[in-house]
Amino acid sequence: MRKIDNFFTEQECNWFKWYHTVLPETRDNGQRLLTMTHYSQPFFAKKLQQLQQRLPENEEITTVNINFDYSAGGIHSDGYIELDKNDNIANSYLIPISVDETDKYYTVIFDQTSHRAITFNAEIGLGNAGITTYKQVTRDEYGLSNEPFDEQVYNKYLTHLDYNGLRGLTVDYIHEWELGNAMIWSRENFHVSADFSNKDARASVLITTRYI
């Protein structure tokens, strides 16, 4: 399963945008404004229960974030961090809640995986931007080959990254953002935002899960 259509209604998209404005803590990680939602307000428990009921019975929500992106991100997995290293990690669900209809937004999913949450940001020219809880690793540490990356994919989606830093990576799937539709991939898979021109109009909710 790669997506769930109409995971959020338009009304729910607007609700999350409002909810972001009343939360007490927002972090700027150098690429986006990120808010940890269900840890912040007790009344979010009812919304969390509603979200849980939309997911497979063998998955449990571990994190819900609201993201307002002002820059395309770097390559990373949504694997475990120290806090949840014993979890049987499952999937990531990314649901757009705000898009500019004059622009196109994409998320690129790679074949390569990491059970731990890691990133190649320094290797692809982004330095520490976007780094919060993820371990920064090098190509050599991970064991990427020197096979050239797909030039057509690079030229269409990933020109904000250093081309040589993408050697050894191969693409599994490319998601196109659609308002309210959930894009799904395994938390272990590396993924990255495609570059986008309108830096003010994009926002999403990210849900991560574990198997139970």
Side-chain angles (χ1 to χ4, degrees), residues 11-123:
Q11 182 180 15
E12 287 177 310
C13 291
N14 290 332
W15 186 90
F16 273 100
K17 286 188 286 185
W18 164 81
Y19 189 51
H20 172 77
T21 68
V22 300
L23 289 168
E25 180 182 359
T26 296
R27 292 180 301 177
D28 187 338
N29 71 2
Q31 294 168 347
R32 62 166 58 111
L33 301 176
L34 179 150
T35 303
M36 304 286 284
T37 56
H38 74 268
Y39 300 116
S40 302
Q41 298 288 350
F43 73 83
F44 189 69
K46 183 177 179 180
K47 178 64 71 175
L48 183 63
Q49 185 179 36
Q50 293 173 351
L51 297 177
Q52 182 64 60
Q53 291 171 349
R54 302 175 194 181
L55 301 180
E57 292 183 356
N58 66 334
E59 292 184 39
E60 180 181 54
I61 294 173
T62 58
T63 304
V64 182
N65 296 341
I66 304 174
N67 302 314
F68 280 75
D69 299 333
Y70 58 81
S71 179
I75 296 171
H76 62 281
S77 73
D78 292 330
Y80 76 86
I81 56 177
E82 192 63 27
L83 179 68
D84 59 359
K85 65 181 179 181
N86 295 318
D87 283 359
N88 186 11
I89 63 173
N91 292 306
S92 296
Y93 296 77
L94 184 66
I95 309 100
I97 59 173
S98 180
V99 296
D100 181 346
E101 294 182 356
T102 66
D103 205 350
K104 295 276 191 181
Y105 306 97
Y106 302 92
T107 296
V108 179
I109 313 299
F110 297 99
D111 292 305
Q112 288 70 30
T113 62
S114 172
H115 194 65
R116 181 176 184 176
I118 63 174
T119 179
F120 296 111
N121 277 15
E123 293 279 322

Side-chain angles (χ1 to χ4, degrees), residues 7 16 42 45 68 72 75 87 100 120 155-156 166 172 174 201 212:
F7 191 85
F16 273 100
F68 280 75
I75 296 171
D87 283 359
D100 181 346
F120 296 111
N155 290 331
K156 185 172 182 179
L166 302 177
D172 172 49
I174 299 174
I212 55 175

Side-chain angles (χ1 to χ4, degrees), residues 150-170:
D150 187 314
E151 285 192 51
Q152 289 185 323
V153 173
Y154 177 78
N155 290 331
K156 185 172 182 179
Y157 301 105
L158 302 177
T159 51
H160 64 295
L161 304 178
D162 175 64
Y163 177 73
N164 287 326
L166 302 177
R167 288 171 294 133
L169 291 168
T170 54

Side-chain angles (χ1 to χ4, degrees), residues 180-194:
N181 290 353
M183 300 168 278
I184 308 166
W185 60 86
S186 169
R187 286 176 57 183
E188 293 186 343
N189 281 79
F190 290 115
H191 53 281
V192 65
S193 166

